[in-house]
Amino acid sequence: MKADYKLDKARSVSYTKLALSFLLTVFKLLAGFFGNSTLLLADAVRSFSEFVNESVKLLDLSIANKPEDKSHNYGHGKIATLCLGGGACVLLFAGFHTFSLGSEQLLMFIQGKESEGPETIALFAAISAFVSRYNIFAESYELQTSKTSSKGRIHIKGLFASGFIILGIGITFLPGRSLGIADSLAAVLLSIYLLWTSGRLLYKAADELIEASLDEETNRKIREIINETEGVTGSRELKTRRIGKGIAINACITVHSSLSIRETSEITNLVEESLKVAFGESAYTLIKVEPSPLKNLSFQNRSRPS
């Protein structure tokens, strides 16, 4: 019951953040266009990246967490990865566009050409976005436990980014001709960050879609768990991949050839249960057994991991 309440609460907060991200994206686009602020247009792209992030979270809470069926033997985790890749492509395109706009204005400034600075509406929009983000952060703070403390850091980074937008636009209203270029300069810097973010997301999505193996440290941990299981004399082939939030593990272990089928099955079950304890019940495990040339090692069934 308590777990269901937390899940419903998390889903409710995600819906709120999703709606806010969409509204902020549209609001910043309009304010940036009519307020003549390239920085605010770039910030609209950042809000869109948050919209994509929340969309993926909701997919994880709904479709991606659905159990496997006859036509989806490994569940539905790839749908979230696919949507993440699509959103990253849009983010990459938008990042290039805002980078181009900011660079063009910087070039005009270097050439000594006059360019219009942001209007007051742009500064008002940036401040409004900061206040909205702060309110959502305060509302969802109660969900930030030690397990999800990284989410709190992400929100704090967002608040700092919003403050950077206000600073970049606000500087242009100070006296001095050279300060008017602060909006374009900050837009270029933010666009570079967005391009890096979109590239990282694309790499992550592509890596999962082409069935890339898990990182070396995780694979090493898997081998340690397998080799430390009672009755296992060694491990050979190991294949791993990520499926949404879960992982799939295909491993080959060796046991003494004198063991019976029942004893071999018990060892296999111990290996699978140990892996699920370490990586969660959603982990898919397939263990192949081969005979070992080593001398017989007595296998005594011990208590299963809890």
Side-chain angles (χ1 to χ4, degrees):
M1 182 68 70
K2 188 175 181 180
D4 291 338
Y5 171 77
K6 287 186 176 181
L7 181 61
D8 291 339
K9 185 68 175 178
R11 186 180 287 112
S12 175
V13 172
S14 289
Y15 275 119
T16 303
K17 291 179 181 178
L18 184 70
L20 176 67
S21 299
F22 176 76
L23 292 175
L24 284 178
T25 300
V26 176
F27 177 62
K28 291 175 182 178
L29 280 174
L30 294 175
F33 178 78
F34 290 106
N36 195 38
S37 173
T38 306
L39 178 55
L40 202 56
L41 291 176
D43 195 35
V45 178
R46 184 176 66 88
S47 293
F48 176 76
S49 70
E50 295 171 351
F51 174 80
V52 172
N53 184 50
E54 292 302 328
S55 298
V56 172
K57 286 181 183 178
L58 284 172
L59 284 173
D60 279 335
L61 292 173
S62 53
I63 300 177
N65 279 338
K66 290 175 61 178
E68 62 271 13
D69 52 40
K70 291 183 179 180
S71 58
H72 302 86
N73 296 329
Y74 289 93
H76 303 75
K78 292 293 184 183
I79 184 66
T81 305
L82 186 62
C83 291
L84 178 65
C89 288
V90 177
L91 180 62
L92 183 67
F93 173 79
F96 270 121
H97 183 63
T98 54
F99 178 81
S100 176
L101 289 176
S103 299
E104 183 179 351
Q105 292 179 353
L106 282 177
L107 183 60
M108 290 176 59
F109 176 80
I110 294 174
Q111 294 174 347
K113 298 180 180 179
E114 291 289 341
S115 60
E116 296 182 6
E119 303 290 342
T120 307
I121 186 177
L123 182 60
F124 171 77
I127 295 175
S128 300
F130 177 84
V131 173
S132 300
R133 172 178 287 279
Y134 177 80
N135 289 336
I136 293 299
F137 171 72
E139 177 184 347
S140 60
Y141 183 78
E142 61 186 52
L143 293 177
Q144 309 305 326
T145 61
S146 58
K147 186 177 181 180
T148 59
S149 59
S150 60
K151 296 181 181 179
R153 289 193 293 271
I154 292 175
H155 288 305
I156 293 175
K157 288 181 180 179
L159 290 174
F160 275 115
S162 297
F164 173 75
I165 305 303
I166 296 174
L167 181 64
I169 298 176
I171 288 177
T172 63
F173 290 91
L174 297 176
R177 176 182 174 278
S178 59
L179 296 179
I181 200 61
D183 180 85
S184 300
L185 178 60
V188 170
L189 295 177
L190 182 58
S191 297
I192 293 174
Y193 169 75
L194 292 173
L195 290 173
W196 175 81
T197 300
S198 60
R200 180 172 54 85
L201 293 176
L202 271 176
Y203 178 81
K204 177 184 177 182
D207 223 27
E208 292 186 20
L209 290 175
I210 62 176
E211 308 292 353
S213 176
L214 300 180
D215 59 272
E216 185 176 345
E217 182 179 352
T218 303
N219 285 336
R220 179 176 55 80
K221 181 179 179 181
I222 292 173
R223 283 196 180 275
E224 288 179 354
I225 293 174
I226 292 174
N227 293 331
E228 291 174 359
T229 303
E230 183 181 357
V232 175
T233 59
S235 59
R236 294 180 179 176
E237 185 180 37
L238 174 64
K239 294 181 179 180
T240 60
R241 61 191 174 106
R242 185 167 296 282
I243 306 175
K245 285 186 175 181
I247 63 174
I249 303 171
N250 293 0
C252 177
I253 64 173
T254 57
V255 299
H256 195 269
S257 57
S258 65
L259 296 179
S260 66
I261 295 178
R262 181 183 63 81
E263 290 174 320
T264 302
S265 176
E266 290 179 354
I267 294 174
T268 303
N269 289 337
L270 280 176
V271 171
E272 291 182 340
E273 291 177 8
S274 297
L275 291 172
K276 287 182 180 293
V277 167
F279 299 100
E281 289 295 326
S282 61
Y284 294 91
T285 57
L286 179 61
I287 308 299
K288 177 184 176 182
V289 181
E290 291 184 354
S292 171
L294 298 178
K295 292 183 178 181
N296 188 14
L297 299 175
S298 60
F299 169 70
Q300 297 178 348
N301 193 12
R302 63 181 179 183
S303 59
R304 302 190 185 281
S306 57

